[in-house]
Amino acid sequence: MAAQRRTPAGRGVSRGQAGPGRGLAAGRTTLRNAAVAAAAAGRERPRITSRAVVLLLVLAVLTVSWASSFRAWFQQRAEMDSLRAQIARTQADIDRLEAQKKRWKDDAYVKQQARLRFGYVMPGQDSLIALDENGNPIGSVEKLTDPADAPGTDPVAWYSTVWDSVEAAGHPEESK
């Protein structure tokens, strides 16, 4: 059996059985198809399909969304760093103020500040301050050390002091 092929008119013609006048037309069609195929192979132009366009659009959207996410991430990191620095500065201020608050609990420091700031003196003392031509004090100004730096006794818990007094009250002859 011979294989059939379709002609442009849609009629089946067996190979090798060209009808009257059909052999020439069939040959032209084959030549024309070969010429078109050769021309297409020679200039091979890139074809952008709809799938490629959709893929490019998806990649563009992903790139834009990732870029905005990275930008937001970097901005948040910078803000976090500045807030950490601000927290460190604030903590340093708190530490400095707590140290100053502890100094104000020392009676000697309070007396010194009263003398320096307001010119107060203890009863029986005379206050003499030598001033230069601009009205500033001449000489050294008293400075007290920080009580935390000064050697001293370790503080005793209040409840141990109370208990010692209770024990001493129960045995008065031993405390003498």
Side-chain angles (χ1 to χ4, degrees):
M1 284 191 124
Q4 286 193 353
R5 67 179 170 88
R6 296 240 175 226
T7 61
R11 290 179 250 158
V13 176
S14 299
R15 285 186 197 219
Q17 290 184 0
R22 293 190 189 263
L24 195 55
R28 279 191 216 145
T29 304
T30 306
L31 287 174
R32 190 176 329 150
N33 288 343
V36 169
R43 58 184 156 128
E44 291 185 28
R45 63 183 175 110
R47 291 183 52 190
I48 298 178
T49 63
S50 60
R51 286 183 182 176
V53 170
V54 170
L55 180 64
L56 287 175
L57 286 174
V58 168
L59 288 176
V61 168
L62 287 175
T63 302
V64 169
S65 66
W66 285 345
S68 64
S69 297
F70 280 129
R71 183 177 50 89
W73 183 73
F74 284 122
Q75 285 177 344
Q76 290 171 354
R77 294 294 293 177
E79 184 176 351
M80 285 173 47
D81 290 341
S82 68
L83 289 175
R84 283 188 185 117
Q86 182 181 0
I87 288 170
R89 285 191 306 270
T90 304
Q91 188 61 44
D93 289 342
I94 289 171
D95 293 342
R96 182 183 51 81
L97 291 172
E98 284 179 351
Q100 186 178 8
K101 180 180 172 183
K102 286 179 184 176
R103 291 198 72 189
W104 279 101
K105 290 181 180 180
D106 183 21
D107 289 337
Y109 182 75
V110 172
K111 289 176 184 176
Q112 177 205 19
Q113 292 300 314
R115 261 185 306 229
L116 292 175
R117 293 182 182 192
F118 306 117
Y120 289 180
V121 292
M122 295 299 287
Q125 291 180 343
D126 292 330
S127 174
L128 298 173
I129 300 174
L131 302 175
D132 63 4
E133 61 274 356
N134 296 328
N136 297 325
I138 298 175
S140 66
V141 178
E142 290 183 41
K143 293 197 179 196
L144 293 176
T145 60
D146 189 2
D149 296 338
T153 61
D154 291 332
V156 178
W158 65 271
Y159 48 85
S160 64
T161 306
V162 170
W163 185 250
D164 290 343
S165 69
V166 168
E167 286 181 342
H171 302 43
E173 61 276 348
E174 292 178 11
S175 62
K176 290 184 181 179

